[in-house]
PDB file of all heavy atoms in Angstrom:
ATOM      1  N   VAL A 304       8.734  34.329  21.139  1.00  0.00           N
ATOM      2  CA  VAL A 304       9.748  35.360  21.313  1.00  0.00           C
ATOM      3  C   VAL A 304      10.951  34.708  21.979  1.00  0.00           C
ATOM      4  O   VAL A 304      10.807  33.742  22.746  1.00  0.00           O
ATOM      5  CB  VAL A 304       9.227  36.536  22.169  1.00  0.00           C
ATOM      6  CG1 VAL A 304       8.140  37.290  21.438  1.00  0.00           C
ATOM      7  CG2 VAL A 304       8.715  36.052  23.520  1.00  0.00           C
ATOM      8  N   PHE A 305      12.152  35.223  21.702  1.00  0.00           N
ATOM      9  CA  PHE A 305      13.334  34.629  22.303  1.00  0.00           C
ATOM     10  C   PHE A 305      14.395  35.704  22.525  1.00  0.00           C
ATOM     11  O   PHE A 305      14.399  36.766  21.881  1.00  0.00           O
ATOM     12  CB  PHE A 305      13.888  33.484  21.442  1.00  0.00           C
ATOM     13  CG  PHE A 305      14.286  33.876  20.051  1.00  0.00           C
ATOM     14  CD1 PHE A 305      15.581  34.301  19.764  1.00  0.00           C
ATOM     15  CD2 PHE A 305      13.374  33.804  19.004  1.00  0.00           C
ATOM     16  CE1 PHE A 305      15.952  34.639  18.478  1.00  0.00           C
ATOM     17  CE2 PHE A 305      13.732  34.149  17.712  1.00  0.00           C
ATOM     18  CZ  PHE A 305      15.033  34.566  17.448  1.00  0.00           C
ATOM     19  N   ALA A 306      15.283  35.417  23.469  1.00  0.00           N
ATOM     20  CA  ALA A 306      16.411  36.295  23.775  1.00  0.00           C
ATOM     21  C   ALA A 306      17.653  35.436  23.943  1.00  0.00           C
ATOM     22  O   ALA A 306      17.585  34.321  24.470  1.00  0.00           O
ATOM     23  CB  ALA A 306      16.137  37.098  25.045  1.00  0.00           C
ATOM     24  N   GLN A 307      18.798  35.964  23.475  1.00  0.00           N
ATOM     25  CA  GLN A 307      20.051  35.225  23.535  1.00  0.00           C
ATOM     26  C   GLN A 307      21.174  36.147  23.991  1.00  0.00           C
ATOM     27  O   GLN A 307      21.103  37.360  23.816  1.00  0.00           O
ATOM     28  CB  GLN A 307      20.403  34.635  22.163  1.00  0.00           C
ATOM     29  CG  GLN A 307      19.387  33.651  21.621  1.00  0.00           C
ATOM     30  CD  GLN A 307      19.736  33.144  20.231  1.00  0.00           C
ATOM     31  OE1 GLN A 307      20.542  33.738  19.521  1.00  0.00           O
ATOM     32  NE2 GLN A 307      19.122  32.035  19.834  1.00  0.00           N
ATOM     33  N   ASN A 308      22.197  35.536  24.574  1.00  0.00           N
ATOM     34  CA  ASN A 308      23.391  36.266  24.990  1.00  0.00           C
ATOM     35  C   ASN A 308      24.619  35.484  24.544  1.00  0.00           C
ATOM     36  O   ASN A 308      24.699  34.268  24.758  1.00  0.00           O
ATOM     37  CB  ASN A 308      23.396  36.460  26.505  1.00  0.00           C
ATOM     38  CG  ASN A 308      24.681  37.102  27.015  1.00  0.00           C
ATOM     39  OD1 ASN A 308      25.327  36.597  27.917  1.00  0.00           O
ATOM     40  ND2 ASN A 308      25.064  38.226  26.423  1.00  0.00           N
ATOM     41  N   TYR A 309      25.578  36.165  23.890  1.00  0.00           N
ATOM     42  CA  TYR A 309      26.815  35.562  23.426  1.00  0.00           C
ATOM     43  C   TYR A 309      27.992  36.250  24.100  1.00  0.00           C
ATOM     44  O   TYR A 309      28.060  37.483  24.128  1.00  0.00           O
ATOM     45  CB  TYR A 309      26.962  35.721  21.908  1.00  0.00           C
ATOM     46  CG  TYR A 309      25.905  35.037  21.080  1.00  0.00           C
ATOM     47  CD1 TYR A 309      24.720  35.697  20.757  1.00  0.00           C
ATOM     48  CD2 TYR A 309      26.095  33.759  20.587  1.00  0.00           C
ATOM     49  CE1 TYR A 309      23.753  35.091  19.966  1.00  0.00           C
ATOM     50  CE2 TYR A 309      25.138  33.139  19.801  1.00  0.00           C
ATOM     51  CZ  TYR A 309      23.973  33.807  19.496  1.00  0.00           C
ATOM     52  OH  TYR A 309      23.020  33.199  18.711  1.00  0.00           O
ATOM     53  N   GLN A 310      28.923  35.455  24.617  1.00  0.00           N
ATOM     54  CA  GLN A 310      30.154  35.997  25.179  1.00  0.00           C
ATOM     55  C   GLN A 310      31.315  35.084  24.792  1.00  0.00           C
ATOM     56  O   GLN A 310      31.173  33.861  24.788  1.00  0.00           O
ATOM     57  CB  GLN A 310      30.080  36.107  26.707  1.00  0.00           C
ATOM     58  CG  GLN A 310      29.030  37.076  27.221  1.00  0.00           C
ATOM     59  CD  GLN A 310      29.003  37.144  28.729  1.00  0.00           C
ATOM     60  OE1 GLN A 310      30.014  36.937  29.399  1.00  0.00           O
ATOM     61  NE2 GLN A 310      27.833  37.434  29.280  1.00  0.00           N
ATOM     62  N   GLY A 311      32.463  35.690  24.462  1.00  0.00           N
ATOM     63  CA  GLY A 311      33.641  34.917  24.100  1.00  0.00           C
ATOM     64  C   GLY A 311      34.890  35.749  24.290  1.00  0.00           C
ATOM     65  O   GLY A 311      34.840  36.922  24.646  1.00  0.00           O
ATOM     66  N   SER A 312      36.042  35.134  24.038  1.00  0.00           N
ATOM     67  CA  SER A 312      37.308  35.823  24.216  1.00  0.00           C
ATOM     68  C   SER A 312      38.345  35.273  23.246  1.00  0.00           C
ATOM     69  O   SER A 312      38.155  34.202  22.647  1.00  0.00           O
ATOM     70  CB  SER A 312      37.816  35.669  25.657  1.00  0.00           C
ATOM     71  OG  SER A 312      38.046  34.295  25.957  1.00  0.00           O
ATOM     72  N   ASP A 313      39.421  36.031  23.077  1.00  0.00           N
ATOM     73  CA  ASP A 313      40.627  35.591  22.345  1.00  0.00           C
ATOM     74  C   ASP A 313      40.358  35.247  20.888  1.00  0.00           C
ATOM     75  O   ASP A 313      41.002  34.364  20.318  1.00  0.00           O
ATOM     76  CB  ASP A 313      41.255  34.373  23.056  1.00  0.00           C
ATOM     77  CG  ASP A 313      41.652  34.691  24.487  1.00  0.00           C
ATOM     78  OD1 ASP A 313      42.019  35.847  24.746  1.00  0.00           O
ATOM     79  OD2 ASP A 313      41.571  33.776  25.335  1.00  0.00           O
ATOM     80  N   GLY A 314      39.409  35.940  20.256  1.00  0.00           N
ATOM     81  CA  GLY A 314      39.195  35.737  18.833  1.00  0.00           C
ATOM     82  C   GLY A 314      38.557  34.420  18.463  1.00  0.00           C
ATOM     83  O   GLY A 314      38.567  34.038  17.289  1.00  0.00           O
ATOM     84  N   GLY A 315      37.996  33.702  19.418  1.00  0.00           N
ATOM     85  CA  GLY A 315      37.347  32.434  19.132  1.00  0.00           C
ATOM     86  C   GLY A 315      35.977  32.621  18.506  1.00  0.00           C
ATOM     87  O   GLY A 315      35.529  33.739  18.218  1.00  0.00           O
ATOM     88  N   LEU A 316      35.277  31.502  18.287  1.00  0.00           N
ATOM     89  CA  LEU A 316      33.979  31.525  17.622  1.00  0.00           C
ATOM     90  C   LEU A 316      32.968  32.368  18.398  1.00  0.00           C
ATOM     91  O   LEU A 316      32.261  33.198  17.819  1.00  0.00           O
ATOM     92  CB  LEU A 316      33.474  30.097  17.450  1.00  0.00           C
ATOM     93  CG  LEU A 316      32.131  29.936  16.729  1.00  0.00           C
ATOM     94  CD1 LEU A 316      32.238  30.434  15.293  1.00  0.00           C
ATOM     95  CD2 LEU A 316      31.687  28.477  16.753  1.00  0.00           C
ATOM     96  N   TYR A 317      32.897  32.182  19.707  1.00  0.00           N
ATOM     97  CA  TYR A 317      31.912  32.920  20.492  1.00  0.00           C
ATOM     98  C   TYR A 317      32.289  34.398  20.597  1.00  0.00           C
ATOM     99  O   TYR A 317      31.416  35.255  20.751  1.00  0.00           O
ATOM    100  CB  TYR A 317      31.767  32.292  21.877  1.00  0.00           C
ATOM    101  CG  TYR A 317      31.014  30.986  21.851  1.00  0.00           C
ATOM    102  CD1 TYR A 317      31.637  29.804  21.454  1.00  0.00           C
ATOM    103  CD2 TYR A 317      29.670  30.921  22.196  1.00  0.00           C
ATOM    104  CE1 TYR A 317      30.953  28.608  21.409  1.00  0.00           C
ATOM    105  CE2 TYR A 317      28.972  29.728  22.164  1.00  0.00           C
ATOM    106  CZ  TYR A 317      29.621  28.570  21.760  1.00  0.00           C
ATOM    107  OH  TYR A 317      28.931  27.392  21.717  1.00  0.00           O
ATOM    108  N   ASP A 318      33.571  34.702  20.511  1.00  0.00           N
ATOM    109  CA  ASP A 318      34.004  36.094  20.465  1.00  0.00           C
ATOM    110  C   ASP A 318      33.501  36.753  19.178  1.00  0.00           C
ATOM    111  O   ASP A 318      33.026  37.901  19.196  1.00  0.00           O
ATOM    112  CB  ASP A 318      35.526  36.166  20.551  1.00  0.00           C
ATOM    113  CG  ASP A 318      36.028  37.598  20.668  1.00  0.00           C
ATOM    114  OD1 ASP A 318      35.261  38.464  21.142  1.00  0.00           O
ATOM    115  OD2 ASP A 318      37.180  37.850  20.289  1.00  0.00           O
ATOM    116  N   MET A 319      33.567  36.040  18.052  1.00  0.00           N
ATOM    117  CA  MET A 319      33.023  36.556  16.794  1.00  0.00           C
ATOM    118  C   MET A 319      31.512  36.751  16.902  1.00  0.00           C
ATOM    119  O   MET A 319      30.967  37.753  16.431  1.00  0.00           O
ATOM    120  CB  MET A 319      33.352  35.611  15.646  1.00  0.00           C
ATOM    121  CG  MET A 319      34.797  35.674  15.184  1.00  0.00           C
ATOM    122  SD  MET A 319      35.073  34.746  13.663  1.00  0.00           S
ATOM    123  CE  MET A 319      34.954  33.068  14.290  1.00  0.00           C
ATOM    124  N   TYR A 320      30.827  35.793  17.539  1.00  0.00           N
ATOM    125  CA  TYR A 320      29.384  35.930  17.746  1.00  0.00           C
ATOM    126  C   TYR A 320      29.063  37.191  18.543  1.00  0.00           C
ATOM    127  O   TYR A 320      28.111  37.920  18.238  1.00  0.00           O
ATOM    128  CB  TYR A 320      28.842  34.707  18.488  1.00  0.00           C
ATOM    129  CG  TYR A 320      28.757  33.442  17.670  1.00  0.00           C
ATOM    130  CD1 TYR A 320      28.448  32.233  18.275  1.00  0.00           C
ATOM    131  CD2 TYR A 320      28.992  33.436  16.304  1.00  0.00           C
ATOM    132  CE1 TYR A 320      28.359  31.058  17.542  1.00  0.00           C
ATOM    133  CE2 TYR A 320      28.903  32.272  15.569  1.00  0.00           C
ATOM    134  CZ  TYR A 320      28.583  31.085  16.198  1.00  0.00           C
ATOM    135  OH  TYR A 320      28.493  29.929  15.457  1.00  0.00           O
ATOM    136  N   GLU A 321      29.852  37.434  19.588  1.00  0.00           N
ATOM    137  CA  GLU A 321      29.609  38.605  20.420  1.00  0.00           C
ATOM    138  C   GLU A 321      29.815  39.894  19.625  1.00  0.00           C
ATOM    139  O   GLU A 321      29.050  40.856  19.772  1.00  0.00           O
ATOM    140  CB  GLU A 321      30.530  38.579  21.641  1.00  0.00           C
ATOM    141  CG  GLU A 321      30.287  39.729  22.613  1.00  0.00           C
ATOM    142  CD  GLU A 321      31.159  39.642  23.851  1.00  0.00           C
ATOM    143  OE1 GLU A 321      32.028  38.750  23.915  1.00  0.00           O
ATOM    144  OE2 GLU A 321      30.978  40.482  24.751  1.00  0.00           O
ATOM    145  N   GLN A 322      30.818  39.932  18.775  1.00  0.00           N
ATOM    146  CA  GLN A 322      31.061  41.122  17.971  1.00  0.00           C
ATOM    147  C   GLN A 322      29.962  41.327  16.937  1.00  0.00           C
ATOM    148  O   GLN A 322      29.557  42.464  16.668  1.00  0.00           O
ATOM    149  CB  GLN A 322      32.416  41.007  17.281  1.00  0.00           C
ATOM    150  CG  GLN A 322      33.600  41.012  18.233  1.00  0.00           C
ATOM    151  CD  GLN A 322      34.931  40.939  17.493  1.00  0.00           C
ATOM    152  OE1 GLN A 322      35.082  41.503  16.415  1.00  0.00           O
ATOM    153  NE2 GLN A 322      35.893  40.233  18.072  1.00  0.00           N
ATOM    154  N   ILE A 323      29.452  40.256  16.338  1.00  0.00           N
ATOM    155  CA  ILE A 323      28.392  40.369  15.331  1.00  0.00           C
ATOM    156  C   ILE A 323      27.100  40.867  15.958  1.00  0.00           C
ATOM    157  O   ILE A 323      26.415  41.742  15.407  1.00  0.00           O
ATOM    158  CB  ILE A 323      28.164  39.018  14.638  1.00  0.00           C
ATOM    159  CG1 ILE A 323      29.391  38.640  13.791  1.00  0.00           C
ATOM    160  CG2 ILE A 323      26.918  39.050  13.756  1.00  0.00           C
ATOM    161  CD1 ILE A 323      29.345  37.230  13.242  1.00  0.00           C
ATOM    162  N   THR A 324      26.752  40.342  17.126  1.00  0.00           N
ATOM    163  CA  THR A 324      25.462  40.638  17.742  1.00  0.00           C
ATOM    164  C   THR A 324      25.501  41.814  18.714  1.00  0.00           C
ATOM    165  O   THR A 324      24.453  42.368  19.044  1.00  0.00           O
ATOM    166  CB  THR A 324      24.949  39.411  18.509  1.00  0.00           C
ATOM    167  OG1 THR A 324      25.849  39.111  19.583  1.00  0.00           O
ATOM    168  CG2 THR A 324      24.828  38.205  17.593  1.00  0.00           C
ATOM    169  N   GLY A 325      26.691  42.182  19.182  1.00  0.00           N
ATOM    170  CA  GLY A 325      26.778  43.138  20.274  1.00  0.00           C
ATOM    171  C   GLY A 325      26.590  42.476  21.621  1.00  0.00           C
ATOM    172  O   GLY A 325      26.562  43.140  22.651  1.00  0.00           O
ATOM    173  N   GLY A 326      26.445  41.150  21.616  1.00  0.00           N
ATOM    174  CA  GLY A 326      26.311  40.390  22.856  1.00  0.00           C
ATOM    175  C   GLY A 326      24.894  39.943  23.141  1.00  0.00           C
ATOM    176  O   GLY A 326      24.665  38.841  23.637  1.00  0.00           O
ATOM    177  N   TYR A 327      23.903  40.798  22.819  1.00  0.00           N
ATOM    178  CA  TYR A 327      22.514  40.479  23.162  1.00  0.00           C
ATOM    179  C   TYR A 327      21.655  40.428  21.907  1.00  0.00           C
ATOM    180  O   TYR A 327      21.823  41.226  20.987  1.00  0.00           O
ATOM    181  CB  TYR A 327      21.950  41.518  24.126  1.00  0.00           C
ATOM    182  CG  TYR A 327      22.664  41.546  25.454  1.00  0.00           C
ATOM    183  CD1 TYR A 327      23.706  42.435  25.678  1.00  0.00           C
ATOM    184  CD2 TYR A 327      22.313  40.658  26.469  1.00  0.00           C
ATOM    185  CE1 TYR A 327      24.373  42.456  26.890  1.00  0.00           C
ATOM    186  CE2 TYR A 327      22.973  40.671  27.684  1.00  0.00           C
ATOM    187  CZ  TYR A 327      24.011  41.565  27.893  1.00  0.00           C
ATOM    188  OH  TYR A 327      24.676  41.577  29.096  1.00  0.00           O
ATOM    189  N   VAL A 328      20.707  39.494  21.899  1.00  0.00           N
ATOM    190  CA  VAL A 328      19.831  39.271  20.755  1.00  0.00           C
ATOM    191  C   VAL A 328      18.401  39.105  21.248  1.00  0.00           C
ATOM    192  O   VAL A 328      18.160  38.426  22.256  1.00  0.00           O
ATOM    193  CB  VAL A 328      20.254  38.002  19.969  1.00  0.00           C
ATOM    194  CG1 VAL A 328      19.210  37.632  18.936  1.00  0.00           C
ATOM    195  CG2 VAL A 328      21.608  38.207  19.308  1.00  0.00           C
ATOM    196  N   VAL A 329      17.445  39.707  20.553  1.00  0.00           N
ATOM    197  CA  VAL A 329      16.022  39.460  20.791  1.00  0.00           C
ATOM    198  C   VAL A 329      15.386  39.145  19.447  1.00  0.00           C
ATOM    199  O   VAL A 329      15.805  39.670  18.402  1.00  0.00           O
ATOM    200  CB  VAL A 329      15.312  40.646  21.463  1.00  0.00           C
ATOM    201  CG1 VAL A 329      15.830  40.848  22.875  1.00  0.00           C
ATOM    202  CG2 VAL A 329      15.487  41.922  20.648  1.00  0.00           C
ATOM    203  N   GLY A 330      14.385  38.281  19.453  1.00  0.00           N
ATOM    204  CA  GLY A 330      13.775  37.883  18.197  1.00  0.00           C
ATOM    205  C   GLY A 330      12.313  37.535  18.335  1.00  0.00           C
ATOM    206  O   GLY A 330      11.823  37.198  19.420  1.00  0.00           O
ATOM    207  N   LEU A 331      11.611  37.634  17.218  1.00  0.00           N
ATOM    208  CA  LEU A 331      10.204  37.262  17.101  1.00  0.00           C
ATOM    209  C   LEU A 331      10.084  36.232  16.001  1.00  0.00           C
ATOM    210  O   LEU A 331      10.655  36.392  14.916  1.00  0.00           O
ATOM    211  CB  LEU A 331       9.352  38.482  16.770  1.00  0.00           C
ATOM    212  CG  LEU A 331       7.894  38.207  16.380  1.00  0.00           C
ATOM    213  CD1 LEU A 331       7.113  37.668  17.575  1.00  0.00           C
ATOM    214  CD2 LEU A 331       7.241  39.471  15.826  1.00  0.00           C
ATOM    215  N   ARG A 332       9.342  35.164  16.271  1.00  0.00           N
ATOM    216  CA  ARG A 332       9.194  34.077  15.300  1.00  0.00           C
ATOM    217  C   ARG A 332       7.710  33.751  15.125  1.00  0.00           C
ATOM    218  O   ARG A 332       6.980  33.579  16.105  1.00  0.00           O
ATOM    219  CB  ARG A 332       9.959  32.845  15.766  1.00  0.00           C
ATOM    220  CG  ARG A 332       9.850  31.633  14.861  1.00  0.00           C
ATOM    221  CD  ARG A 332      10.719  30.491  15.373  1.00  0.00           C
ATOM    222  NE  ARG A 332      12.137  30.820  15.230  1.00  0.00           N
ATOM    223  CZ  ARG A 332      13.054  30.502  16.123  1.00  0.00           C
ATOM    224  NH1 ARG A 332      12.708  29.899  17.251  1.00  0.00           N
ATOM    225  NH2 ARG A 332      14.328  30.819  15.896  1.00  0.00           N
ATOM    226  N   LEU A 333       7.283  33.656  13.888  1.00  0.00           N
ATOM    227  CA  LEU A 333       5.923  33.253  13.543  1.00  0.00           C
ATOM    228  C   LEU A 333       6.027  32.039  12.636  1.00  0.00           C
ATOM    229  O   LEU A 333       6.622  32.097  11.565  1.00  0.00           O
ATOM    230  CB  LEU A 333       5.186  34.388  12.825  1.00  0.00           C
ATOM    231  CG  LEU A 333       3.794  34.075  12.269  1.00  0.00           C
ATOM    232  CD1 LEU A 333       2.834  33.761  13.420  1.00  0.00           C
ATOM    233  CD2 LEU A 333       3.268  35.246  11.448  1.00  0.00           C
ATOM    234  N   GLU A 334       5.448  30.930  13.063  1.00  0.00           N
ATOM    235  CA  GLU A 334       5.651  29.660  12.355  1.00  0.00           C
ATOM    236  C   GLU A 334       4.320  28.977  12.096  1.00  0.00           C
ATOM    237  O   GLU A 334       3.462  28.895  12.986  1.00  0.00           O
ATOM    238  CB  GLU A 334       6.551  28.746  13.171  1.00  0.00           C
ATOM    239  CG  GLU A 334       6.973  27.483  12.458  1.00  0.00           C
ATOM    240  CD  GLU A 334       8.057  26.736  13.176  1.00  0.00           C
ATOM    241  OE1 GLU A 334       8.356  27.099  14.347  1.00  0.00           O
ATOM    242  OE2 GLU A 334       8.652  25.808  12.606  1.00  0.00           O
ATOM    243  N   MET A 335       4.164  28.491  10.856  1.00  0.00           N
ATOM    244  CA  MET A 335       2.982  27.747  10.478  1.00  0.00           C
ATOM    245  C   MET A 335       3.410  26.351  10.024  1.00  0.00           C
ATOM    246  O   MET A 335       4.473  26.188   9.410  1.00  0.00           O
ATOM    247  CB  MET A 335       2.232  28.455   9.358  1.00  0.00           C
ATOM    248  CG  MET A 335       1.757  29.863   9.700  1.00  0.00           C
ATOM    249  SD  MET A 335       0.837  30.644   8.369  1.00  0.00           S
ATOM    250  CE  MET A 335      -0.622  29.587   8.306  1.00  0.00           C
ATOM    251  N   THR A 336       2.581  25.371  10.287  1.00  0.00           N
ATOM    252  CA  THR A 336       2.861  24.010   9.843  1.00  0.00           C
ATOM    253  C   THR A 336       1.586  23.402   9.281  1.00  0.00           C
ATOM    254  O   THR A 336       0.476  23.746   9.693  1.00  0.00           O
ATOM    255  CB  THR A 336       3.358  23.111  10.996  1.00  0.00           C
ATOM    256  OG1 THR A 336       2.350  23.059  12.020  1.00  0.00           O
ATOM    257  CG2 THR A 336       4.650  23.658  11.579  1.00  0.00           C
TER     258      THR A 336
END
Side-chain angles (χ1 to χ4, degrees):
V304 293
F305 59 90
Q307 299 177 342
N308 175 232
Y309 297 88
Q310 296 180 29
S312 62
D313 301 328
L316 182 63
Y317 286 79
D318 187 25
M319 285 189 288
Y320 287 172
E321 183 177 5
Q322 294 182 36
I323 293 171
T324 63
Y327 297 94
V328 170
V329 293
L331 170 67
R332 178 176 291 142
L333 174 65
E334 188 169 10
M335 300 182 66
T336 60

